[in-house]
Amino acid sequence: MRGKRGAAAAATAALPEQQAVHARLEKSARPDVLYATGVMRAYLRASLPLQSLRLLAGLLPRAPRLLATSFSLSVALQACGSAAAPVSVGAALHARALRSGFAAADLFVRTALVEMYAKAGRVDLARDAFDEAPLRDVFLCNVMLSAYVSRSEVAEARKVFDGMPMRDLVSWNTMIHGYAMRGEVGLAREIFDGTEDRDSFSWSSMISAYAKSRRSKEALELWREMHAASIIPDCITLVSVVSACSDLGALAVGAEVHRFVESNRIELDLKLGTALIDMYAKCGDIESAQRVFDRMPEKDVQTWSSMIIGLANHGLGHESLSLFSKMISEGMKPNGVTFVGVLIACTHVGLVSEGKKYFRSMNEVHGIEPTVEHYGCMVDLLGRSGHVEEARQLIRSMTFEPDTIIWRALLGACRIHKNVEIAEEAMAKLRVLDPLGDGHYVLLSNIYAQANSWEGVAEMRKTIRRDNIQRIPGRSSIEWDEKIHEFVSGDRLHPRSKEIYRVLEEMMDRLKQAGYKPMTGLVLQDIDEQSKERSLAEHSEKLAIAFALLTTPARSTIRITKNLRACEDCHSAMKLISLVYDRKLIVRDRNRFHHFSEGQCSCKDYW
């Protein structure tokens, strides 16, 4: 409230002439209508609609002709809408407009009426006022469009849009924005493609729609088109582009956007700065994320949380917890997201007692009630470190129903520690919560195989076939030559496929000479050993690495993004690749980052 009063006082101070006229009008027995309307309009322009209405209420008893012109009436209606006045006040002004004939004859008044009802949240009355208009220009139609879009009634907005005799850029942009907000990306693109003279808002809305829908490739393609068209982006566009880079692991494009921001001296506000930290962290460049964080003049809880989570996901658990301590010492209050990062930090470096302490402190010290996500982190922390039974007991103590993520975390722990009994309990829950989740069945198959329970493995295969469970293919992507190149296991669709497989064969031979032994026990298909070796060799991340060895300079860092957890065989192979080829590999899988160098991984084989 203090901030609003301060802003109002500053705006009022900027209107000394109008304030003086206001004072004279209040003292006058017969206030001048023209001056009064001018002051009301000045208040509106200064974002002080309530002052405008107060002046109107004070003068109207002595100046009944104050609302006798269409101009003064439209100003009063605009003030009513902007001040969020009761609908009854607007309805009284509507009645005056009807009696005077302005409601029918004057488009300014009619447009102000529609806008006033829309701002009051009465889109039904706004539509009635719109339908009663004998003539409709593009401005009136745009107000009605905006009213529907603001309430996510895009189908109704489309009817108005299709019925407009003329449209301007605002019309097109409103529809793009409406569809984008609802996630109807195809329809948004249809409108976008039909827009002849696009401005930065058109491009921003469409790029944002793609980014929010995780259609990140299209977002970056559109960004390149926008750049080629010499359209200057705003901060909202840049945040969307950076978010798309985060999703794809497109570090080169993200860094290019950052250079654009710096060279054009664009202010690094909280949203853009935080988005850059998140992008660099998710693209494997934690050092650049730290530099952006350190240079930000102002940080909020989202900024701190992004850096804490980034460090945690890179296996820098101690650094992450140290930053959390600094955050607290600087008086910044953490939120639930912050504690997700703190618990992930403990999980990735096996800090069990510390994780328990932070988990308890959420409620006891910071007044934050743990959510299902925090419990999931704790189950993961306990399970990975071998406390599988304690993880099960924690789930049983929860005051709300555990979700798929929690049971999946417990199942994953059972795979690491070969606990068939608890794995079967977790699987029974997962079959109810997510019966088509292919990963659960694969995990349990692996657990059965480790325990030499081949009947269990056969049962899992039978279930997968019977229930027609579709396996999500492992996908690995790598950025090269300003494009994202994606591979799936056994992929032969890449234009350079023959060269990639030649390099792959050479790579596997060199690895075997260095001591690599394929973990054929991970292949649960009923095929011979040679076929199992070939299946492992053609995993998506190995194809991506072969492509990198083919296309990138010697000794340069290879960065790969994978949609699933890295398998043990690929993890073992990548450690050797870093040694044999003298390369640093940074691999982002579903759970964390792995930094491979000189035959070692940053996770220390704990992931």
Side-chain angles (χ1 to χ4, degrees):
M1 281 299 292
R2 187 182 303 170
K4 288 183 178 178
R5 283 199 296 268
T12 305
L15 300 167
E17 186 180 339
Q18 283 74 18
Q19 287 289 312
V21 175
H22 186 157
R24 290 199 299 271
L25 287 168
E26 285 187 329
K27 294 176 183 177
S28 172
R30 298 180 65 185
D32 186 285
V33 172
L34 186 61
Y35 280 153
T37 305
V39 173
M40 285 173 62
R41 192 181 185 202
Y43 280 138
L44 267 182
R45 287 181 169 177
S47 299
L48 296 168
L50 202 57
Q51 294 278 60
S52 187
L53 288 180
R54 283 174 180 164
L55 176 62
L56 175 65
L59 299 184
L60 199 56
R62 288 175 289 134
R65 291 190 58 77
L66 183 54
L67 296 177
T69 68
S70 64
F71 176 63
S72 58
L73 192 55
S74 64
V75 169
L77 285 165
Q78 288 173 53
C80 189
S82 299
V87 176
S88 57
V89 177
L93 292 172
H94 189 175
R96 277 182 177 267
L98 289 170
R99 288 196 299 272
S100 65
F102 291 133
D106 193 281
L107 271 171
F108 286 107
V109 173
R110 176 63 58 176
T111 303
L113 269 172
V114 173
E115 188 172 31
M116 179 270 296
Y117 281 127
K119 286 183 176 178
R122 293 298 305 271
V123 74
D124 56 331
L125 296 178
R127 184 58 195 253
D128 288 343
F130 177 78
D131 289 340
E132 290 165 4
L135 294 173
R136 297 171 192 159
D137 63 1
V138 69
F139 302 105
L140 176 58
C141 291
N142 284 343
V143 169
M144 195 66 241
L145 274 182
S146 179
Y148 277 131
V149 166
S150 67
R151 293 172 59 89
S152 291
E153 296 182 26
V154 186
E156 291 301 316
R158 184 62 185 263
K159 291 175 186 175
V160 174
F161 180 79
D162 289 342
M164 290 175 68
M166 290 183 62
R167 303 174 186 129
D168 62 7
L169 185 55
V170 173
S171 320
W172 293 92
N173 280 348
T174 303
M175 288 306 303
I176 295 169
H177 179 67
Y179 282 128
M181 291 289 287
R182 285 182 58 86
E184 298 183 60
V185 183
L187 291 170
R189 186 59 192 258
E190 176 190 306
I191 299 293
F192 178 84
D193 289 340
T195 309
E196 292 183 7
D197 298 316
R198 301 167 187 149
D199 63 1
S200 61
F201 186 87
S202 318
W203 291 90
S204 179
S205 296
M206 197 62 242
I207 291 171
S208 176
Y210 277 135
K212 286 179 180 176
S213 301
R214 299 290 297 273
R215 292 172 61 171
S216 302
K217 277 189 177 180
E218 287 116 318
L220 295 189
E221 286 167 6
L222 210 57
W223 159 252
R224 292 187 187 96
E225 288 181 36
M226 180 183 182
H227 207 49
S230 300
I231 304 295
I232 298 173
D234 57 17
C235 273
I236 296 171
T237 312
L238 293 169
V239 168
S240 296
V241 174
V242 169
S243 298
C245 293
S246 300
D247 186 45
L248 289 174
L251 178 61
V253 180
E256 176 192 310
V257 173
H258 191 189
R259 287 192 294 273
F260 176 87
V261 169
E262 291 182 327
S263 61
N264 288 275
R265 297 183 179 179
I266 296 170
E267 180 189 357
L268 201 65
D269 63 12
L270 283 170
K271 283 190 176 181
L272 183 54
T274 303
L276 283 168
I277 291 168
D278 189 57
M279 180 275 296
Y280 277 123
K282 286 181 177 175
C283 291
D285 189 349
I286 195 66
E287 294 83 6
S288 291
Q290 185 75 62
R291 279 194 293 273
V292 174
F293 178 84
D294 291 340
R295 291 173 185 172
M296 283 183 68
E298 184 183 356
K299 303 176 182 75
D300 63 4
V301 66
Q302 282 80 22
T303 312
W304 285 93
S305 299
S306 290
M307 195 65 231
I308 288 167
I309 291 172
L311 290 166
N313 281 329
H314 280 265
L316 300 169
H318 296 288
E319 291 86 342
S320 179
L321 297 178
S322 175
L323 188 63
F324 175 71
S325 297
K326 185 180 179 184
M327 173 186 179
I328 299 300
S329 69
E330 292 192 11
M332 181 64 66
K333 184 175 174 59
N335 62 15
V337 176
T338 317
F339 275 100
V340 168
V342 167
L343 295 176
I344 289 173
C346 295
T347 298
H348 287 329
V349 289
L351 300 174
V352 178
S353 59
E354 289 86 346
K356 290 179 181 179
K357 180 192 74 174
Y358 286 119
F359 185 70
R360 287 194 301 269
S361 76
M362 286 180 65
N363 194 303
E364 295 174 3
V365 178
H366 302 284
I368 299 170
E369 195 68 35
T371 66
V372 69
E373 192 172 6
H374 300 109
Y375 275 96
C377 290
M378 284 303 297
V379 170
D380 199 21
L381 169 61
L382 292 168
R384 283 174 190 268
S385 58
H387 300 80
V388 181
E389 179 57 39
E390 189 177 349
R392 176 162 69 170
Q393 293 305 322
L394 179 65
I395 295 172
R396 289 175 176 175
S397 73
M398 288 169 54
T399 57
F400 42 80
E401 283 298 313
D403 64 0
T404 307
I405 295 170
I406 284 181
W407 289 115
R408 178 67 182 264
L410 186 63
L411 187 62
C414 292
R415 182 196 60 78
I416 297 169
H417 299 287
K418 303 177 177 60
N419 192 315
V420 176
E421 177 196 342
I422 296 179
E424 288 177 337
E425 178 186 338
M427 188 64 192
K429 300 292 185 181
L430 287 166
R431 278 181 161 173
V432 175
L433 292 169
D434 187 14
L436 299 179
D438 69 306
H440 322 324
Y441 299 93
V442 174
L443 266 177
L444 189 55
S445 291
N446 287 331
I447 293 167
Y448 281 139
Q450 288 172 339
N452 292 320
S453 175
W454 303 111
E455 296 88 353
V457 174
E459 178 60 30
M460 287 300 99
R461 288 179 185 163
K462 182 180 174 183
T463 302
I464 290 170
R465 285 196 301 270
R466 184 188 65 228
D467 296 345
N468 195 28
I469 294 166
Q470 301 297 313
R471 290 199 63 179
I472 297 172
R475 296 180 180 275
S476 296
S477 60
I478 184 167
E479 186 182 19
W480 180 72
D481 195 25
E482 298 186 349
K483 290 181 182 177
I484 301 296
H485 297 259
E486 191 174 68
F487 300 89
V488 296
S489 294
D491 196 346
R492 283 176 168 77
L493 296 176
H494 195 280
R496 301 182 68 175
S497 182
K498 287 184 179 179
E499 295 172 89
I500 292 168
Y501 273 86
R502 176 181 53 77
V503 173
L504 178 67
E505 189 174 343
E506 292 172 1
M507 181 180 82
M508 299 311 295
D509 285 342
R510 287 187 66 178
L511 292 184
K512 286 178 181 177
Q513 290 171 21
Y516 164 72
K517 293 181 180 179
M519 299 180 184
T520 53
L522 297 173
V523 181
L524 301 177
Q525 296 165 283
D526 188 16
I527 53 178
D528 59 55
E529 284 296 302
Q530 188 176 359
S531 298
K532 287 182 178 182
E533 285 193 25
R534 186 164 59 249
S535 174
L536 289 171
E538 294 179 1
H539 275 193
S540 63
E541 48 266 72
K542 293 191 183 85
L543 290 171
I545 292 169
F547 176 74
L549 294 174
L550 175 67
T551 56
T552 60
R555 297 187 177 180
S556 62
T557 299
I558 298 172
R559 300 175 191 271
I560 293 170
T561 300
K562 187 178 180 184
N563 64 329
L564 303 178
R565 180 185 182 275
C567 80
E568 288 91 335
D569 182 79
C570 286
H571 192 270
S572 173
M574 285 187 281
K575 286 197 294 184
L576 273 176
I577 289 167
S578 70
L579 182 66
V580 170
Y581 286 90
D582 192 19
R583 292 283 196 116
K584 183 175 181 181
L585 288 81
I586 301 176
V587 180
R588 165 183 153 191
D589 72 4
R590 186 173 62 187
N591 295 333
R592 60 169 296 161
F593 276 89
H594 299 264
H595 294 247
F596 299 93
S597 179
E598 299 179 348
Q600 300 295 320
C601 179
S602 59
C603 75
K604 299 179 175 60
D605 297 337
Y606 184 82
W607 89 100

